[in-house]
Amino acid sequence: MAYFYEEPSHTFSEYLLIPGYSSSECIPNNVSLKTPVVKFKKGEEPALTMNTPLVSAIMQAVSGEKMAIALAREGGISFIYGSQSIEDEAAMVARVKNYKAGFVRSDSNIRPDQTLKDILDLKAKTGHSTVAVTDDGTAEGKLLGIVTSRDYRVSRMDPSTKVAEFMTPFESLIYAKEGITLKEANNIIWDHKLNSLPVIDENQRLLYMVFRKDYDSHKENPLELLDASKRYVVGAGINTRDYEKRIPALVEAGADVLCIDSSEGFSEWQKRTLDWTRAKYGDSVKIGAGNVVDREGFLFLAEAGADFVKVGIGGSICITREQKGIGRGQATALIEVAKARDEYYARTGIYVPVCSDGGIVHDYHVTLALAMGADFIMLGRYFSRFDESPTNKVMINGNYMKEYWGEGSSRARNWQRYDLGGEAKLSFEEGVDSYVPYAGSLKDNLTLTLYKVRSTMCNCGALTIPELQEKAKITLVSATSIVEGGAHDVVLKENNKISK
């Protein structure tokens, strides 16, 4: 006979936090949102942590390279979508890893016998105004000069002018030799008021470029998430079909963490993927799994070797609950899985982080999810609204919107995400194609969201996520209480913003 749960499952909107004692130290600026991303043993430090407990969903409409760069700047991680060719996903990961580093391999290079028109075409293609002039036009060629936008005037020069005629020649360059530290390179940039510094080997061959903008960016974004080589941290999605080819390509491209992208993770297919990964790479490749909604599902994936486990099935853009009748209220699912995580840690000494995926409608739901036991939260709709998402901004009925579609929609046709071992096709839709209100830049919106999270944590007397999970008092609320909590029995004025 089927098992029946005695209690209904609940959503985040059905809960509220009860305020706790706040000391004078409990101010938002003192709150740390640092959180583990991958499993670790008791007494040890996790191999990968985040400064902001948010990751962007593995979706075509959310996580491209621009999103990955923008989110890493703010201390989070973007998981590049896997519903594309292996080559395209690996290239996207590589571009994120190469975008910002203390030492950057030059991707804008030209020969001295090429022309101003070639310079302009290259600038239009890469978006970079600093171009290295090498003998063979490659990033490893002998450095002969540098071209920046200050070296030419389009309105006064013939497009056929040779690069050699207007470049800054090597003899006039300030450069550094191989072996210089990042701190020393930045000191040279500042002492000589440079925008870039080429680094060469003993044969004058170009190795790297160091840019002032990278230093400035770090000062403006103190929470930015970098790897040991000062490159942005980025994740990538995989599936349970072509993982034997996709994982090596993503590892080679530099992905810091992988995640199996599936609507339902309590399956042999995920265990096979994890087994293969551990057999080939041991624990060196970090890989999350999911999604699950109960204790059994979590324990299955934790024991299979997952580095983190995602929780949540259905909701918002995903219509799996509607189509298949499977799923669970996100709050209830998260609470049960978090308890299983703590039991597993007590029994084995291994802490497996939990990622809450879905169910976030309001900013305060993020704080609730953390209080209920989530180590970090995966968001799709939230991030899809921003400039950095890879979709088009369109005008709908006088309002700017961003396109947003699910991986199970006919538009994405990500059949691998819903694969149960049958034919290689999407048999029916488990996602929709839609619009979300355009919200502007990621940085502005995320700053506000995180300030709300920190403020609520202070109301609960907590300065860290573990402290919030220990101290939080959470209550279910009635339908009437939910109505009471919002504006009611008043006529709201139009919300006009006044610019100063």
Side-chain angles (χ1 to χ4, degrees), residues 232-252:
Y232 284 134
V233 171
V234 61
I238 62 169
N239 61 65
T240 57
R241 281 277 183 142
D242 63 10
Y243 57 88
E244 293 184 12
K245 294 180 179 179
R246 190 174 293 268
I247 291 177
L250 295 173
V251 171
E252 177 67 23

Side-chain angles (χ1 to χ4, degrees), residues 99-167:
Y99 178 83
K100 165 121 188 298
F103 297 93
V104 183
R105 185 177 181 272
S106 176
D107 64 356
S108 295
N109 312 285
I110 205 163
R111 298 189 313 274
D113 61 339
Q114 291 182 265
T115 64
L116 174 60
K117 182 180 183 302
D118 295 323
I119 287 281
L120 298 177
D121 291 343
L122 185 60
K123 182 179 178 181
K125 178 181 178 182
T126 65
H128 299 155
S129 58
T130 299
V131 180
V133 184
T134 61
D135 60 344
D136 58 3
T138 69
E140 302 85 17
K142 183 176 182 180
L143 184 63
L144 303 179
I146 293 286
V147 173
T148 71
S149 56
R150 291 176 297 183
D151 291 315
Y152 57 85
R153 293 187 67 178
V154 177
S155 60
R156 295 190 176 186
M157 293 174 62
D158 191 307
S160 63
T161 305
K162 298 293 186 184
V163 170
E165 297 178 32
F166 60 88
M167 71 181 187

Side-chain angles (χ1 to χ4, degrees), residues 324-338:
K324 289 183 174 180
I326 64 169
R328 200 177 193 186
Q330 185 66 12
T332 300
L334 175 58
I335 291 167
E336 181 172 321
V337 170

